[in-house]
Amino acid sequence: MRRSRELQDAMAVIERGTVEIFPRPDLEDKLAHSIAKAEPLRVKFGMDPTAPDIHLGHSVPLRKLRDFQDLGHTAVLVVGDFTGLVGDPSGRSKTRPQLSPDEIEQNAETYLDQAAAILDPERLKVVRNGDWFGAMAFRDVLDLASKMTVARMLERDDFSKRYAEGSPISIHEFLYCLMQGYDSVQVRSDVELGGTDQRFNLLVGRQLQRDAGQEPQVAITMPMLVGTDGTEKMSKSLGNYVGITEPPAEMYGKIMSLPDPAMRDYFTLLTKVPADEIERLLGPDSHPRDAKRRLAREIVGFYGGADAAAEAEAEFDKVFVRSELPSEIPDYTPPRADLKDGKIWIARLVKGAGLADSTTEARRLIGQGAVSIDDTRIDDPEADVPVVDGMVLRVGKRRFARVKM
Amino acid sequence: MRRSRELQDAMAVIERGTVEIFPRPDLEDKLAHSIAKAEPLRVKFGMDPTAPDIHLGHSVPLRKLRDFQDLGHTAVLVVGDFTGLVGDPSGRSKTRPQLSPDEIEQNAETYLDQAAAILDPERLKVVRNGDWFGAMAFRDVLDLASKMTVARMLERDDFSKRYAEGSPISIHEFLYCLMQGYDSVQVRSDVELGGTDQRFNLLVGRQLQRDAGQEPQVAITMPMLVGTDGTEKMSKSLGNYVGITEPPAEMYGKIMSLPDPAMRDYFTLLTKVPADEIERLLGPDSHPRDAKRRLAREIVGFYGGADAAAEAEAEFDKVFVRSELPSEIPDYTPPRADLKDGKIWIARLVKGAGLADSTTEARRLIGQGAVSIDDTRIDDPEADVPVVDGMVLRVGKRRFARVKM
């Protein structure tokens, strides 16, 4: 088949940032067919309703989904409500808590609200896998389970590792994996997107579709985004994340804290800056700080708009470049009971002002030299400090409170 | 706890012929408790409704079940109707055909009719596992599947062998194994009986019961009975079986064909002849043929009564010891079309008289020297033989037909 210019352009958009397109020729065939017949492809992405908050790491496959939408295809978002309802029956996993239908629905709504910042609602289909799994009887499960062998399952990286180590793998974990694949049969997906950790599950979907007489989906894997520490995978529990609903100034500041080597991935996966421009920005004729400012503007602009990005940048310059105070600092009035002879325990002040979750954390921050009052660092976690109306308490680079008496 | 005489006697009856009682102290405890409270134990046995015909091999655990009944306990026969209805979804196995509800019910009835020759209907409870599995939803299956690890499953002899060999094991096979164990939870069995090939499944039942807060069942395994060839496990497909509904003379003759070394197991597992008498019968002061006649009388007598056993023995003596013809020989009149100049092709005659399933088999039997007419062996499978009214056709030792014109 002759590859049209349109097809080549589409492939270039889709390919950007991907780890693997498997099999690539199948994607080309599907796209060519879609272009010829003017029939959109169905691009599946599975959403875990136990973790509703989207950060930049989650946004990577969602943005790829948006690329497909912009090319005229349909995004099929599968809400894994059934899995959430069931939880992890073994009770061993902390990642699969059992949720109530209300919690699931609320999480799904939170997620969809946030995803609306990335996806095009016009080309979006949202389905819930409880619709088919809830109706399945034992014999249907046996039928599903008969489609896959134990040996094949044990090829999955984490299973093979755990099996080799002698760590228990419960049989229902095999079923979870099959369920995810069976979602593809139900939604008749042409393409499924996922992180590299989902590669095996995406291939299970292919096999189950083939068994069901469908043309198997193309599996596209996206890299795991590194967190703001520049080393670990971005995750809420590691605290190295940037939530997509964070205030523009916060988001801008977090991106500016990113180590330089992480910029290329961020540009590629989180912006539409063309490849040659990325090269120029990261090349020897450009200062890394300028590249990072551009990166922060692009990302903040994507979620909050160009004005918000400009404001966030101005604010950042004021506080971090010119070392001025931020334009807006929340007030805090310590309760009378915390004062003694006009003084307050510094850890209690930090906690009270909401700049630490506990006095223990506050003490730790003080010990790390992260706490100052009116630009004077407080080093002693046990210090009692005089309370002065209007004094500015600062924790780390970006958290402030003004004491009001 | 002091072991009473009653308990010791019960243990002696139960122990006879078993391969393993696991754990033995638990069985003693359960029996002691049962005796003290006058509460019968629930002794489970699972029946496969795809193979309704019972032969002496199948009778081994059924007779043990009867021993429990005779000790006052309740036999719980679990008809695996659900498994039969589902069949083997992979379509690979020949041992799990998918049956219709009617076929299952018919098979179960055939089985129960036959089992009635062994079991005491007063102390028998028949349940069908479709009653609980038919009502189970996917989440219940996940819950069940979460109770067992993959590694534990792969410890099962046939699974570990197949896994090591690279032969495929479908995931639903794990579920079948769990289902059998879950039957024990449903029937709250105190004891489960099975062949040695069932050992693993019996232990799965223990684990699932423990998980469900029940006292785990005691697993009792019985040996696989050798067939009439004295070497292979008795099975219909190998043709080395004795069906418990076979006519007394047939059954008697088959048992008399048993190689001497198999007699001890047959006495132990298929009769109530006391251990010391078995020793005497098989000892140097007794002729093996007398022991075997006693064995055949015992078994035929159990199923057909003492008179039938005596008749079968008399008939056997007449035909095999005194080489006379049997008292009753079925008549056969070949159709005119098979005759040519008063002769008939010998293979067609053997097949027509019902002494072979096909002319191909008939030819094979003739080639083996197993076919004779009026005591004259026919060696040529292509021979045309003169048809004489009243001539006796014989195949092997025990199959006869009298030609009537």
Side-chain angles (χ1 to χ4, degrees):
Chain A
M1 200 181 296
R2 201 175 57 81
R3 299 302 178 194
S4 67
R5 179 65 201 237
E6 188 180 355
L7 175 57
Q8 286 174 35
D9 289 349
M11 281 300 290
V13 169
I14 293 168
E15 208 163 17
R16 171 170 170 150
T18 56
V19 173
E20 188 181 19
I21 297 177
F22 179 84
R24 203 189 136 94
D26 286 13
L27 180 61
E28 289 177 343
D29 286 347
K30 281 174 190 265
L31 283 172
H33 184 269
S34 165
I35 291 167
K37 305 270 174 178
E39 277 176 10
L41 297 179
R42 297 167 64 80
V43 186
K44 175 194 168 200
F45 181 69
M47 174 250 160
D48 172 6
T50 63
D53 287 319
I54 301 180
H55 58 53
L56 293 181
H58 302 126
S59 80
V60 171
L62 286 170
R63 289 189 63 117
K64 185 56 66 188
L65 203 52
R66 174 61 187 257
D67 287 343
F68 273 100
Q69 290 184 312
D70 290 344
L71 291 166
H73 304 292
T74 306
V76 183
L77 199 65
V78 181
V79 178
D81 64 339
F82 186 77
T83 350
L85 275 176
V86 174
D88 183 346
S90 71
R92 265 195 294 262
S93 164
K94 281 180 184 164
T95 58
R96 286 198 192 274
Q98 189 179 341
L99 303 179
S100 72
D102 279 354
E103 286 170 313
I104 303 244
E105 206 39 51
Q106 207 173 316
N107 283 354
E109 274 169 33
T110 303
Y111 185 91
L112 292 170
D113 281 350
Q114 297 182 14
I118 303 174
L119 300 177
D120 172 1
E122 295 296 313
R123 295 198 169 99
L124 177 63
K125 212 173 132 66
V126 179
V127 295
R128 287 163 167 76
N129 69 7
D131 290 354
W132 45 89
F133 290 128
M136 268 173 76
F138 203 155
R139 55 191 299 176
D140 305 312
V141 181
L142 287 168
D143 199 49
L144 179 58
S146 74
K147 307 291 188 200
M148 186 71 57
T149 69
V150 173
R152 178 94 178 72
M153 236 2 134
L154 284 175
E155 285 169 15
R156 201 174 91 169
D157 283 350
D158 59 329
F159 286 154
S160 64
K161 193 160 158 259
R162 283 160 64 195
Y163 186 65
E165 275 172 358
S167 306
I169 305 162
S170 281
I171 296 167
H172 76 280
E173 298 184 66
F174 282 6
L175 295 179
Y176 274 130
C177 181
L178 281 169
M179 287 163 73
Q180 202 167 325
Y182 186 68
D183 285 341
S184 295
V185 175
Q186 280 290 326
V187 305
R188 309 184 76 89
S189 45
D190 294 300
V191 175
E192 181 168 2
L193 300 179
T196 45
D197 56 342
Q198 293 298 311
R199 183 176 191 275
F200 184 87
N201 294 344
L202 269 45
L203 299 185
V204 169
R206 281 176 59 81
Q207 179 171 336
L208 295 182
Q209 284 181 310
R210 204 180 287 118
D211 273 340
Q214 295 178 18
E215 193 180 286
Q217 67 187 11
V218 171
I220 299 185
T221 52
M222 301 302 297
M224 294 287 145
L225 190 73
V226 76
T228 50
D229 55 354
T231 49
E232 299 292 326
K233 170 183 150 187
M234 183 175 285
S235 100
K236 195 163 185 178
S237 57
L238 292 176
N240 62 354
Y241 70 104
V242 184
I244 68 167
T245 57
E246 289 192 47
E250 187 75 13
M251 197 184 267
Y252 192 99
K254 281 189 176 181
I255 294 165
M256 288 305 289
S257 77
L258 193 72
D260 296 346
M263 281 199 285
R264 184 182 302 276
D265 274 357
Y266 273 55
F267 267 117
T268 308
L269 299 169
L270 304 176
T271 78
K272 291 215 169 193
V273 175
D276 51 359
E277 201 174 338
I278 298 175
E279 290 312 315
R280 193 187 54 74
L281 283 163
L282 301 180
D285 300 332
S286 167
H287 193 286
R289 192 206 288 155
D290 296 330
K292 211 175 291 172
R293 289 166 69 92
R294 170 72 185 277
L295 177 65
R297 271 201 314 275
E298 288 284 343
I299 296 173
V300 174
F302 180 81
Y303 291 103
D307 290 351
E311 264 176 54
E313 183 159 272
E315 186 72 12
F316 183 84
D317 288 347
K318 185 176 172 191
V319 180
F320 298 104
V321 181
R322 298 194 304 275
S323 296
E324 294 170 18
L325 287 179
S327 315
E328 282 180 34
I329 298 180
D331 289 337
Y332 173 63
T333 304
R336 234 166 243 264
D338 287 355
L339 303 181
K340 199 181 160 191
D341 302 332
K343 290 184 165 188
I344 187 169
W345 176 31
I346 179 66
R348 178 154 297 136
L349 179 65
V350 169
K351 194 253 174 191
L355 304 182
D357 287 338
S358 63
T359 51
T360 310
E361 192 198 349
R363 269 173 158 135
R364 192 173 51 76
L365 290 164
I366 296 159
Q368 290 168 358
V371 174
S372 62
I373 291 177
D374 289 340
D375 286 335
T376 304
R377 191 155 79 195
I378 310 292
D379 289 316
D380 176 8
E382 306 308 325
D384 291 324
V385 296
V387 178
V388 179
D389 184 50
M391 76 184 193
V392 173
L393 180 67
R394 178 176 184 164
V395 173
K397 284 190 181 166
R398 288 188 304 278
R399 289 145 87 199
F400 296 85
R402 191 185 312 269
V403 175
K404 277 279 178 204
M405 293 309 295
Chain B
M1 199 184 294
R2 204 175 56 83
R3 301 299 180 196
S4 66
R5 181 64 202 236
E6 188 179 355
L7 175 58
Q8 286 174 37
D9 289 349
M11 281 300 290
V13 169
I14 293 168
E15 207 162 17
R16 172 170 171 150
T18 57
V19 173
E20 187 181 19
I21 298 177
F22 180 82
R24 202 188 138 98
D26 286 13
L27 179 61
E28 290 178 343
D29 286 347
K30 282 174 188 266
L31 284 171
H33 184 269
S34 165
I35 292 166
K37 304 271 174 176
E39 278 176 10
L41 297 180
R42 297 168 64 81
V43 186
K44 174 193 166 197
F45 182 70
M47 174 250 161
D48 173 5
T50 62
D53 287 318
I54 300 178
H55 59 52
L56 292 182
H58 302 126
S59 81
V60 171
L62 287 170
R63 290 188 62 117
K64 184 56 64 188
L65 202 52
R66 174 61 187 258
D67 286 342
F68 273 100
Q69 289 183 313
D70 290 344
L71 290 166
H73 303 293
T74 306
V76 182
L77 200 65
V78 181
V79 178
D81 63 340
F82 186 77
T83 351
L85 274 175
V86 175
D88 184 346
S90 71
R92 267 195 293 264
S93 164
K94 282 183 182 162
T95 57
R96 287 200 192 272
Q98 189 179 340
L99 303 179
S100 72
D102 278 356
E103 286 171 313
I104 302 240
E105 205 40 51
Q106 208 173 315
N107 283 355
E109 273 169 34
T110 303
Y111 184 92
L112 291 170
D113 280 352
Q114 296 182 14
I118 303 173
L119 299 177
D120 172 1
E122 295 295 314
R123 293 195 170 101
L124 177 64
K125 213 172 132 65
V126 179
V127 294
R128 287 162 166 78
N129 68 8
D131 290 353
W132 46 90
F133 290 128
M136 267 172 78
F138 202 156
R139 55 190 301 172
D140 305 314
V141 181
L142 286 169
D143 198 48
L144 179 58
S146 74
K147 307 291 189 199
M148 186 72 56
T149 70
V150 173
R152 178 94 178 74
M153 233 7 131
L154 284 174
E155 285 169 15
R156 201 173 92 169
D157 284 350
D158 59 331
F159 287 154
S160 65
K161 193 160 158 259
R162 283 161 63 195
Y163 185 66
E165 277 172 358
S167 307
I169 305 163
S170 281
I171 297 168
H172 76 281
E173 298 184 66
F174 281 6
L175 295 179
Y176 274 130
C177 181
L178 280 169
M179 287 163 73
Q180 203 167 326
Y182 187 69
D183 285 341
S184 295
V185 175
Q186 280 290 325
V187 306
R188 307 184 77 89
S189 45
D190 295 299
V191 175
E192 181 168 1
L193 301 178
T196 47
D197 57 343
Q198 294 298 312
R199 182 177 192 275
F200 184 87
N201 294 344
L202 269 44
L203 298 187
V204 169
R206 280 175 60 79
Q207 178 170 337
L208 295 182
Q209 284 181 310
R210 205 181 286 118
D211 272 339
Q214 295 178 19
E215 193 180 288
Q217 67 187 12
V218 171
I220 299 184
T221 51
M222 301 300 297
M224 295 287 144
L225 191 73
V226 77
T228 50
D229 56 354
T231 50
E232 299 292 327
K233 170 184 149 187
M234 182 176 284
S235 100
K236 194 162 184 179
S237 58
L238 292 176
N240 62 355
Y241 70 103
V242 185
I244 68 168
T245 57
E246 290 191 45
E250 188 74 12
M251 197 184 269
Y252 192 99
K254 282 190 176 181
I255 294 165
M256 288 305 290
S257 77
L258 192 72
D260 294 348
M263 280 199 284
R264 183 182 302 275
D265 273 358
Y266 272 56
F267 267 118
T268 307
L269 299 170
L270 304 176
T271 77
K272 292 214 169 197
V273 176
D276 51 358
E277 200 174 338
I278 297 175
E279 290 313 314
R280 193 187 56 72
L281 283 162
L282 301 179
D285 299 334
S286 166
H287 194 285
R289 191 205 289 151
D290 295 331
K292 210 173 292 174
R293 290 166 69 92
R294 170 73 186 276
L295 176 65
R297 272 203 312 278
E298 288 284 343
I299 295 174
V300 175
F302 180 80
Y303 291 103
D307 289 353
E311 264 176 50
E313 183 159 89
E315 186 71 13
F316 182 86
D317 287 348
K318 184 175 174 194
V319 179
F320 298 102
V321 181
R322 299 195 302 277
S323 295
E324 296 169 15
L325 287 178
S327 316
E328 284 180 34
I329 297 180
D331 289 338
Y332 173 62
T333 305
R336 234 166 242 262
D338 287 355
L339 301 182
K340 197 180 159 189
D341 302 333
K343 289 185 165 188
I344 187 169
W345 176 32
I346 180 67
R348 179 155 296 137
L349 179 65
V350 169
K351 195 253 176 190
L355 304 181
D357 286 338
S358 63
T359 52
T360 309
E361 193 199 347
R363 268 172 157 137
R364 192 174 53 74
L365 290 164
I366 296 159
Q368 289 167 358
V371 174
S372 62
I373 291 177
D374 288 340
D375 286 336
T376 304
R377 192 156 78 194
I378 311 293
D379 288 316
D380 176 7
E382 307 306 327
D384 291 325
V385 296
V387 177
V388 179
D389 184 49
M391 75 184 192
V392 173
L393 179 67
R394 178 175 184 164
V395 173
K397 283 191 181 168
R398 289 188 303 279
R399 289 144 88 199
F400 295 86
R402 192 186 311 268
V403 175
K404 276 280 178 204
M405 295 309 296

